[in-house]
Amino acid sequence: MREYFLSVYALAAVLAVISFLIPEGREGDAVRRGISALALCAVLTPVCIAVRGAAEADISDFLPTELPEETLYSERSEEAFCLGIREAVSGKFSIDPENITVSVTGYDPGSVRADKICVILRGRATLADTRGIRAYVSGLGCGECEVEIEI
């Protein structure tokens, strides 16, 4: 970068000396404009090279070499889905969330749906309205629900 600035300063000095030697008049103005264009080209050349290099670069050059797998997103999304169902059932039916376990099969993170949602109740939650829970979770539109009781 230092060499670039030195060359620009040297070019500016040479062009300044040349512009002092040019006579006044129309021809002198035309030459001064040409000198200005030359100076502008010298200053902008590195910028143009950088832009062209960036345009030709592949996006993979800027990405990390090891990308997290889509399964990581899918797993986190599924965990959040199960947690949301658990909290919804807990709030709606006044059940302690620690007594509810939710598992899903066939979860699709794109549509936020599962083929089957299994709500497992244990402890005092076993006394809850299982049909109501089944109807409530199925009515959410997230998938078919089954309610199991763990003894």
Side-chain angles (χ1 to χ4, degrees):
M1 191 62 133
R2 182 177 178 199
E3 295 83 18
Y4 167 70
F5 285 120
L6 288 175
S7 65
V8 168
Y9 288 138
L11 178 66
V14 169
L15 295 178
V17 170
I18 292 174
S19 67
F20 282 125
L21 299 175
I22 298 172
E24 296 294 324
R26 289 183 184 245
E27 295 85 19
D29 289 342
V31 172
R32 283 189 186 87
R33 286 189 192 114
I35 290 173
S36 297
L38 180 64
L40 188 61
C41 287
V43 171
L44 293 179
T45 297
V47 174
C48 294
I49 291 172
V51 168
R52 186 179 337 143
E56 293 173 357
D58 187 17
I59 189 69
S60 62
D61 296 341
F62 301 103
L63 296 175
T65 54
E66 292 184 22
L67 292 174
E69 295 294 325
E70 187 175 314
T71 57
L72 178 63
Y73 168 76
S74 179
E75 288 172 5
R76 295 268 169 100
S77 179
E78 185 175 329
E79 289 171 10
F81 180 80
C82 291
L83 182 64
I85 296 291
R86 185 179 92 173
E87 294 298 320
V89 169
S90 171
K92 177 77 173 174
F93 295 94
S94 301
I95 302 171
D96 185 15
E98 293 178 4
N99 292 330
I100 302 172
T101 303
V102 177
S103 63
V104 295
T105 56
Y107 177 70
D108 179 27
S111 65
V112 192
R113 284 189 48 83
D115 293 336
K116 180 180 163 187
I117 302 169
C118 184
V119 178
I120 303 169
L121 305 174
R122 66 179 164 279
R124 294 188 137 196
T126 58
L127 302 174
D129 180 17
T130 57
R131 289 184 183 145
I133 293 172
R134 181 180 304 118
Y136 173 70
V137 174
S138 295
L140 292 174
C142 299
E144 290 300 313
C145 178
E146 283 186 3
V147 179
E148 297 179 1
I149 295 177
E150 182 179 282
I151 298 175

